[in-house]
Amino acid sequence: IQLTQSPSSLSASVGDRVTITCRASQDISSYLAWYQQKPGQAPRLLLYTTSTLQSGVPSRFSGSGSGTDFTLTISSLQPEDSATYYCQRLNTYPPWTFGRGTKLEIK
Amino acid sequence: EVQLVESGGGLVQPGGSLRLSCVASGFLLSEYSMNWARQAPGKGLEWVSYSNSGSSVIHYADSVKGRFTISRDNAKNSLYLQMNSLRAEDTAVYYCTRGRPTNYLDYWGQGTLVTVSS
């Protein structure tokens, strides 16, 4: 199963609504997670099972989708959201594939 | 507080071996599945290996199958990755991660860098 993220990079302004897409090569139901990674840091879990917010993650982050098409939305972009975002296929069996990432920059 | 601390990375020649360790604190390793993931310099994330809590279910990415071995010592709250027959393409930061149901990864270590070069 391949995960294709789009766009590969984007630039947006503080306060903007930002959407990142992850498309699976086959139906993965709701088995998708999103991670945020800042330079020099380990990834951080944002959402799992498509839309469940991990504890401590701001509510401006949300996820939606099912089957093959998923989105990560940041409702009001903040300066600290500058990072690379990855989607990951979940399930009880491998491979637990990651998307290639979307680099988000603040204008 | 949950913490994962990796060690054991370094420079190794192609064909060589290295053993990575990950010490967990703030939770009992015996109650959780664990994974290794990696990230080549300037590249994306790659899942490498999985062990369920009792080590009865183990999986590897095709890219490392037959060369890497995941193990754990629950008494020491530690996870390991034995890496043999290392190749240049194994050069990466290796992360120890905790797996939850369906294997979303809720905690990550800071990573340890493995460089395979002559």
Side-chain angles (χ1 to χ4, degrees):
Chain A
I1 298 176
Q2 307 297 322
L3 297 178
T4 303
Q5 288 186 232
S6 60
S8 56
S9 65
L10 76 155
S11 182
S13 299
V14 173
D16 282 355
R17 181 181 182 88
V18 171
T19 297
I20 296 169
T21 297
C22 180
R23 175 163 289 175
S25 58
Q26 55 185 275
D27 190 335
I28 59 171
S29 184
S30 62
Y31 294 127
L32 192 89
W34 290 96
Y35 299 85
Q36 175 193 65
Q37 187 180 33
K38 297 181 179 180
Q41 296 184 17
R44 171 197 183 195
L45 176 68
L46 297 177
L47 299 126
Y48 57 94
T49 324
T50 297
S51 59
T52 304
L53 202 64
Q54 172 69 350
S55 176
V57 174
S59 59
R60 64 180 180 274
F61 291 92
S62 64
S64 63
S66 68
T68 60
D69 293 313
F70 301 85
T71 59
L72 169 68
T73 300
I74 308 173
S75 60
S76 179
L77 192 65
Q78 300 301 303
E80 60 267 30
D81 299 335
S82 177
T84 300
Y85 293 83
Y86 295 93
C87 58
Q88 180 207 8
R89 169 205 177 251
L90 305 178
N91 214 311
T92 55
Y93 56 89
W96 291 283
T97 311
F98 290 92
R100 298 184 71 172
T102 295
K103 186 174 184 179
L104 172 59
E105 295 181 333
I106 310 296
K107 286 181 183 175
Chain B
E1 179 192 7
V2 171
Q3 280 196 321
L4 298 167
V5 179
E6 303 96 336
S7 62
L11 176 63
V12 61
Q13 291 188 340
S17 298
L18 214 53
R19 189 194 195 207
L20 305 184
S21 299
C22 169
V23 177
S25 59
F27 69 101
L28 291 177
L29 198 76
S30 59
E31 296 181 353
Y32 291 87
S33 61
M34 297 295 294
N35 296 260
W36 290 96
R38 68 184 180 182
Q39 186 170 36
K43 302 297 184 182
L45 299 168
E46 179 186 17
W47 166 77
V48 172
S49 185
Y50 163 95
S51 165
N52 73 339
S53 59
S55 300
S56 59
V57 178
I58 286 177
H59 295 294
Y60 298 98
D62 287 345
S63 57
V64 307
K65 202 171 292 183
R67 301 186 299 122
F68 289 13
T69 302
I70 190 172
S71 62
R72 60 166 76 204
D73 185 337
N74 287 337
K76 294 183 178 180
N77 235 37
S78 294
L79 181 74
Y80 306 100
L81 186 68
Q82 177 67 42
M83 304 186 296
N84 298 331
S85 303
L86 282 162
R87 306 166 180 167
E89 54 264 36
D90 295 318
T91 294
V93 173
Y94 284 74
Y95 294 102
C96 169
T97 73
R98 191 175 81 169
R100 300 309 308 279
T102 68
N103 211 29
Y104 61 90
L105 308 174
D106 65 345
Y107 284 95
W108 297 61
Q110 86 288 349
T112 187
L113 176 63
V114 172
T115 302
V116 184
S117 175
S118 54

